[in-house]
Amino acid sequence: MVDRRTFLKLAASLCTTFGVGSLPAPVLAALKKITPGAVPKLIYLQGMSCTGCSISLLQADSPSPLSLITDYSQLAFHADLSAISGKKALNLLEKYINGDAGEYFLAVEGAIPEKMPEACVIGNKTFAEHLEAAAKTMSGAIAIGACACDGGIPAAEGNLTGAIGLKDFYEKRGINKLVINIRGCSVHPDWVWHTIIHLVKIGVPELINDAPALFFSRKVHELCPRYHDFQQEIFAKKLGEKGCLFKLGCLGPDTHADCPTRWWNGGQTWCIDSNAPCIGCASPTFARKKDFPFYRISEQGHQPV
Amino acid sequence: MKIDLGPVTRIEGHLNVKTTIENQKVVDARCVGEMFRGFEVILKGRDPLDAQQITQRICGVCPYAHAIASSYAQENAYKLEVPANGRIMHNLIQGANHLYDYLLHFYQLSALDFVDVTAILQYTGKDADLLKVKGWVQYELASKKTFPAAPFLPRLNGDYIKDKDLNIGALKHYIEAMELQKKANRAAAIFGGKFPHSTAIFPGGCTQEARLDHIINYQSLIGEVREFIHNKYLPDILAVAEGFPEYWHIGASKGGFISYGLLPMSSERDSQRLLTGGILQGDSISPIDFGSITQDVGYARYSSPSGLKVSDSTLTPAPHKEGAYTWTKAPRYDGNVMEVGPAARVLVDYHQGHNQQVKSLVNSFATKVGIEAADLNSVLGRHLSRAINAVVIADFLLAESDRLTPGERTMADLSIPKEAEGYGATEASRGALLHYIRIKDYKIDNYECVVPTTWNASPRDDRGQPGAMESALIGTKISDPEDQIESVRIIHSFDPCIACSVH
């Protein structure tokens, strides 16, 4: 049973974080007594990333993008949105990282080049140096996407830079700080925003493999609307066919994510609904091995091996 | 005086620009791409069908362009016959991706160079969104925060738009554009499976079915985006142009232009494209020969040989190489510096009198604002060119989606040869994108991408010629050497993407 105080606290988090517009009027009235802005700031840093996760975050429906920018007042720095650049942007970043601008959470998108620090630089420091400094002052970190969690594509076989994920990076340095992993290449916006609300207002959500259990406790295959096809042995034999995509290489059985129930881009689509096999982008070993291709086309006889 | 403009924000990725200032003028500029991952090495030895997935991760802003270029390269290598529906779906996905990217670029990435956000404090109207923003800014400024109203403040010193209504109108559209870019991406995801990073795009078409409900949903979304383009995006660009007319003559690059052409009009190989490709140097147009493209690494952090052709490319990183200042290679066409992107697409097409809509839009805007077509090589010219691209693409997508035949196949049967090679060339929103694949023993033997920002943010080549963006910056008069809002406006007009340029 949720008591009134807890409920109001949760509602307040939604209000200050993502906008008051979506809440019913009586709740709003009760909330006016709660001071907004007491929540920590978010510093968003990009390492060896493609910005795909940031772009995915902009595809959010709830919260709306407007709320993310205004009511969601914690976003103190994001390279894609910040008006300021150059030395003044660095000054802002350093004030936070040195602990001079208040409490903050670090959001990290992208891998870290452990063996070639020069492969990722922000201003006058390497990405690794920024992360080491931030570890001393941040309240915790959210690793956003495959690259920040486990290295992602930059850490795939052939990895020239020694790309690794954030948790690994901190563990190698004996730094013991909270790191929450939100996997996916890219992440689903709900996975990130809903985790942040939880983190800021309620505390650390239940984690499995350092990832929020709410989104990552079950396998794509278990939740798949085509699981029935699998049981009936109705398999797609070539790309573009309906049916269970397992024999084309679908990685749903190896991948923990709630895509089959959540869907993407306004809830109107997701990979398997478009007959595209799951490529396991939310798996810690996504794309890791060269001899483990995304598709098993040759077994279907239309690749003359 | 030497000033670093990095980290440059409101772009994709890690860019620094090292400038030298004398007498309030940029006398030297060096574009520094500060992030390297090594995609070509990761691709080597993989299954060729992994390529359109892996290469999308080069860039999460324009992943579909990479999926399409990779699919074209593989279609070329496999000698695939692509069904009409497959080609149409490729177009519907890629075109919608362009529309989102133009809106995102103008409003989220560029508008704050011109629009005065503090004008919201004078807002007296009743629009709920704007009142919300006003309340938020007031609250922030009254707070004791070290950095109130971030990420909008602090900002660069400069001359912002003074007209209150213009500023407030632009801020309203900033908010609306955030919704509209989602709609364009939703349209693309109908056929692409999801955005970013489509799983449904393959060489030979798409795995998605051609269904009437998909077509109707797509048209409804693109229709809304089209309306915004005509009623808000275009007028906003013209309003900025009216406030800053000098930017029709600031930020011209000093080389030629390349466009590979965008959106094939049929599924025939080498079919005519909606916007046609070519090389434009001065007033002369010539066809593209991929063999004329080489990449210098004299100033880039690689120890692999300089001046290699695309098909011979190799990659050995050398982070401490003497004299090198960037991770970006220097591509050249017959040794010449080239600008790529929206202005290149418009100019290359216009000079061939190919797309009549492009021609009439260029002519009518040129008359309206008092410029020549050649002035599209400028800060405002690049912004206007994006809008011209958007108008032409949106109309095309509505017609093209009607050509999708429900129930007909959307994918070719795939058969990967033991040995083959192929080029795939298209236009990402940021410009000319080339993928090259060579297959040996059914595996990728070599893969090379020559990406739009590799051209635009190119360093000096081995002959010492500055890249397109460097050349556009050199000579610029600036008011505040440290902030250099004029230089930042030039950089933003190219919409650089460093994840793409280095990859």
Side-chain angles (χ1 to χ4, degrees), chain B residues 53-334:
Chain B
Q53 282 305 326
I54 301 273
T55 56
Q56 283 189 78
R57 273 74 185 179
I58 287 173
C59 176
V61 186
C62 63
Y64 288 176
H66 285 282
I68 295 290
S70 182
S71 294
Y72 289 178
Q74 292 180 64
E75 286 164 9
N76 184 225
Y78 309 161
K79 304 198 171 21
L80 274 186
E81 300 293 336
V82 182
N85 273 352
R87 176 64 66 234
I88 291 167
M89 279 191 189
H90 279 178
N91 285 345
L92 297 180
I93 293 169
Q94 193 186 4
N97 200 218
H98 271 248
L99 300 185
Y100 120 87
D101 217 338
Y102 298 140
L103 297 185
L104 185 84
H105 175 259
F106 184 69
Y107 290 99
Q108 275 66 49
L109 305 185
S110 300
L112 299 182
D113 292 345
F114 303 102
V115 174
D116 179 7
V117 276
T118 63
I120 193 72
L121 292 169
Q122 302 156 41
Y123 181 62
T124 51
K126 292 197 167 110
D127 182 272
D129 286 346
L130 288 173
L131 285 173
K132 202 155 123 176
V133 176
K134 183 183 176 183
W136 172 74
V137 174
Q138 281 173 331
Y139 169 79
E140 286 280 315
L141 293 178
S143 75
K144 299 257 176 343
K145 292 177 181 173
T146 321
F147 298 105
F152 296 124
L153 297 174
R155 59 179 175 175
L156 298 172
N157 289 328
D159 50 334
Y160 294 92
I161 291 174
K162 289 185 183 64
D163 184 298
K164 180 188 106 180
D165 294 336
L166 212 58
N167 279 318
I168 289 171
L171 289 171
K172 172 74 178 156
H173 299 162
Y174 180 103
I175 296 164
E176 287 177 16
M178 287 206 138
E179 291 300 320
L180 267 297
Q181 59 87 21
K182 284 198 307 198
K183 292 189 180 189
N185 284 329
R186 263 179 216 180
I190 290 172
F191 301 107
K194 75 171 176 60
F195 177 85
H197 301 325
S198 163
T199 39
I201 301 176
F202 279 86
C206 277
T207 55
Q208 181 60 289
E209 289 169 275
R211 278 183 0 208
L212 193 59
D213 61 330
H214 289 149
I215 298 169
I216 292 165
N217 287 341
Y218 184 89
Q219 291 179 338
S220 152
L221 290 161
I222 295 296
E224 278 184 72
V225 175
R226 181 183 178 277
E227 208 165 294
F228 184 88
I229 289 166
H230 283 266
N231 297 337
K232 292 166 183 177
Y233 176 35
L234 255 176
D236 282 345
I237 287 176
L238 294 177
V240 166
E242 211 174 292
F244 299 85
E246 66 275 20
Y247 280 88
W248 290 115
H249 308 288
I250 292 176
S253 71
K254 309 293 187 296
F257 296 90
I258 294 187
S259 163
Y260 294 141
L262 177 65
L263 302 175
M265 310 283 277
S266 86
S267 49
E268 304 290 311
R269 218 165 287 149
D270 300 320
S271 75
Q272 192 53 261
R273 296 188 177 188
L274 175 68
L275 297 174
T276 198
I279 309 285
L280 176 64
Q281 285 174 295
D283 278 330
S284 99
I285 285 276
S286 50
I288 295 156
D289 167 21
F290 299 136
S292 297
I293 299 170
T294 52
Q295 298 184 94
D296 283 356
V297 296
Y299 292 89
R301 297 174 185 137
Y302 304 99
S303 57
S304 23
S306 199
L308 294 179
K309 291 186 178 203
V310 177
S311 56
D312 299 332
S313 291
T314 62
L315 188 78
T316 314
H320 306 292
K321 178 172 151 182
E322 186 102 9
Y325 62 88
T326 177
W327 287 105
T328 314
K329 294 177 182 176
R332 294 293 183 263
Y333 191 89
D334 274 338

Side-chain angles (χ1 to χ4, degrees), chain A residues 23-169:
Chain A
L23 292 174
V27 179
L28 282 178
L31 287 173
K32 281 191 178 147
K33 294 177 187 150
I34 295 168
T35 325
V39 286
K41 292 269 188 180
L42 202 64
I43 296 287
Y44 197 112
L45 288 184
Q46 293 175 314
M48 300 165 82
S49 85
C50 73
T51 302
C53 288
S54 289
I55 294 294
S56 187
L57 296 182
L58 284 179
Q59 311 309 309
D61 271 317
S62 167
S64 77
L66 166 65
S67 305
L68 298 176
I69 298 295
T70 58
D71 303 306
Y72 181 61
S73 57
Q74 287 102 333
L75 192 63
F77 181 78
H78 191 306
D80 296 339
L81 295 172
S82 284
I84 195 67
S85 62
K87 205 182 265 181
K88 289 179 180 170
L90 276 180
N91 173 48
L92 183 152
L93 262 185
E94 279 171 0
K95 276 241 163 72
Y96 274 100
I97 289 178
N98 294 337
D100 299 334
E103 191 188 350
Y104 72 99
F105 278 88
L106 188 69
V108 174
E109 176 183 353
I112 305 122
E114 178 74 340
K115 294 191 182 137
M116 195 189 283
E118 307 83 0
C120 189
V121 169
I122 300 173
N124 47 0
K125 290 198 181 86
T126 66
F127 184 48
E129 287 168 334
H130 287 295
L131 293 177
E132 282 170 353
K136 295 182 187 129
T137 54
M138 68 187 190
S139 301
I142 307 151
I144 295 177
C147 302
C149 292
D150 307 291
I153 298 271
E157 196 178 342
N159 178 359
L160 291 171
T161 60
I164 56 172
L166 185 64
K167 196 161 178 72
D168 205 1
F169 175 82

Side-chain angles (χ1 to χ4, degrees), chain B residues 18 35 94 117 166 201 210 220 223 243 261 282 289 305 384 409 440 443 449 464 466 474 495:
Chain B
K18 289 181 174 293
M35 196 272 281
Q94 193 186 4
V117 276
L166 212 58
I201 301 176
S220 152
D289 167 21
L384 181 63
R409 63 204 293 252
K440 232 180 206 168
K443 301 281 185 209
C449 309
I474 293 169
D495 192 10

Side-chain angles (χ1 to χ4, degrees), chain A residues 259-274:
Chain A
C259 304
T261 52
R262 187 165 298 280
W263 291 44
W264 283 69
N265 300 97
Q268 59 160 27
T269 175
W270 73 293
C271 304
I272 287 174
D273 191 62
S274 65

Side-chain angles (χ1 to χ4, degrees), chain A residues 218-224 252 255-260 270 272 278:
Chain A
R218 302 193 58 192
K219 288 175 175 172
V220 170
H221 186 58
E222 290 168 30
L223 299 169
C224 186
T255 308
H256 287 83
D258 66 359
C259 304
W270 73 293
I272 287 174
C278 169

